[in-house]
Amino acid sequence: MTERLSPGDTAPAFTLTSAEGGTVSLADFSGQQVIIYFYPKASTPGCTTQACDFRDSLESLNAAGYQVLGVSPDPVSDLKRFADEEGLSFPLLSDEDHAVAEAYGAWGEKKNYGKLYEGLIRSTVVVDADGAVTLAQYNVKATGHVARLRKELAA
């Protein structure tokens, strides 16, 4: 199992391909606060609920000074379709080799219907303007997560 991040840790640097085809790096957001959320699979019910919650809360999160990045192991083509279908206006990033998820502690052992397997653990990491982790949440529930996060961040 990969090491989980804690408040005060330096957020691991990354550059990933976005649904739009360009690249997005954590360094692009230097001096800004960033919410990085890891989700298992685009266009599945839970991930759609969570993504739409972020979409619907984006204005208040942005107003509170937060940028939102969604990261999944999906290929870019799936992310593009997901963003288009759901009207998602924040970057969705493809982490097909799950290296970034591993660096953030969001990849590991999961249990589904009694079977153990390796996969993406639904997680959210908040990074401050200096690149330090201020909040790291693992095994979050898709439903209601964004509302709880907004409350914790006073956004």
Side-chain angles (χ1 to χ4, degrees):
M1 184 155 145
T2 51
E3 187 99 5
R4 292 187 169 179
L5 297 175
S6 300
D9 290 348
T10 299
F14 64 81
T15 300
L16 293 171
T17 304
S18 76
E20 302 305 315
T23 59
V24 173
S25 299
L26 182 58
D28 297 342
F29 298 94
S30 181
Q32 300 176 63
Q33 299 178 95
V34 185
I35 297 167
I36 305 164
Y37 84 97
F38 293 88
Y39 62 99
K41 184 141 184 66
S43 303
T44 57
C47 296
T48 299
T49 295
Q50 188 179 24
C52 291
D53 283 351
F54 272 113
R55 176 198 66 205
D56 296 346
S57 298
L58 197 59
E59 197 172 305
S60 65
L61 289 168
N62 289 165
Y66 293 94
Q67 302 300 318
V68 175
L69 302 175
V71 179
S72 81
D74 293 304
V76 170
S77 58
D78 290 3
L79 297 180
K80 175 85 175 112
R81 189 174 333 107
F82 186 40
D84 290 347
E85 285 172 358
E86 302 302 335
L88 305 176
S89 57
F90 53 87
L92 297 181
L93 309 177
S94 175
D95 183 27
E96 284 190 87
D97 64 1
H98 48 82
V100 174
E102 287 183 42
Y104 277 76
W107 188 268
E109 202 170 81
K110 296 173 67 164
K111 188 181 266 187
N112 197 14
Y113 299 110
K115 290 174 71 173
L116 282 177
Y117 65 99
E118 289 271 305
L120 192 126
I121 298 162
R122 191 182 305 276
S123 308
T124 299
V125 176
V126 180
V127 179
D128 72 12
D130 298 320
V133 173
T134 58
L135 185 71
Q137 299 177 330
Y138 296 94
N139 293 309
V140 300
K141 299 278 179 252
T143 306
H145 172 63
V146 177
R148 283 189 297 279
L149 185 64
R150 284 180 58 192
K151 196 172 184 176
E152 286 182 57
L153 298 176

